Structure formats: C-alpha cells, structure tokens
Amino acid sequence: MLTIGLTHYLVLAAMLFCFGVLVMITKRNAVGVLLGAELVLNASNVNLVAFSRYQIGTLDGQILALFGVVLAAAEAAVAIAIFVNYYHETRTIDVDKAAALRG
C-alpha cells in the first residue's frame, strides 16, 4: 500500500508554485495574473501544513496557513477593486497597457 509522505506534499507544492509562476508570466490579462499569484500562495500554504503535519505536537504551520488564506483573500479583494477601476479607465484588462497610466 502506498503511503503519502512529506515528499509527495513537497512535489505537489512545487508543481503548484511552478504553475503559478508560469501563469503569471504568460497571461496578459489582470485576472490571469491574479490567479497565478493565488496558486503561488496556495503552494506556500501546502508547504506550511505539510511541514507542520510531520512535526509532532505543534500547529504552527496550520495557523500560519490560516493567516496565508486570510492574506490571499484580502489581496484578491484589493486586486479586484484595482482591476475594476483600471477597466473603468481603459476598457481593457490587458496589463501591458498599464504603462499608459503612469502619467
């Protein structure tokens, strides 16, 4: 029977991190970049919980992961507000056009 160990969690987190960075690099719209950032934050949460799971008698990783989820929610709310304002000004969500707002 296959037992799931720490290595499996670390591989999953590494894959999530790589996919998140890839999405942030390749997407041209603001929503895609936000989704990539969320994947990167979730990869760090998987690492925190996995290391905490294999450390006996402590919940530090779960508590830090909970703060990470709260941070991700706050970041998403602020980013969506910025994107809505940006779309209102430019009528596009292409992040390459953001340089025109520098004034």
Side-chain angles (χ1 to χ4, degrees), residues 51-63:
F51 282 122
S52 179
R53 162 70 176 89
Y54 289 97
Q55 183 179 2
I56 304 299
T58 181
L59 293 175
D60 293 342
Q62 282 93 344
I63 293 169

Side-chain angles (χ1 to χ4, degrees), residues 26-98:
T26 60
K27 291 295 183 182
R28 300 185 77 83
N29 62 19
V31 177
V33 173
L34 178 63
L35 288 175
E38 294 296 326
L39 282 174
V40 169
L41 285 171
N42 283 330
S44 67
N45 287 339
V46 168
N47 275 336
L48 286 170
V49 171
F51 282 122
S52 179
R53 162 70 176 89
Y54 289 97
Q55 183 179 2
I56 304 299
T58 181
L59 293 175
D60 293 342
Q62 282 93 344
I63 293 169
L64 284 174
L66 183 63
F67 283 123
V69 169
V70 170
L71 175 72
E75 176 252 339
V78 170
I80 288 175
I82 291 170
F83 296 157
V84 167
N85 190 20
Y86 176 70
Y87 179 77
H88 180 70
E89 293 291 325
T90 62
R91 298 289 182 221
T92 183
I93 57 172
D94 189 2
V95 292
D96 289 337
K97 306 269 194 278

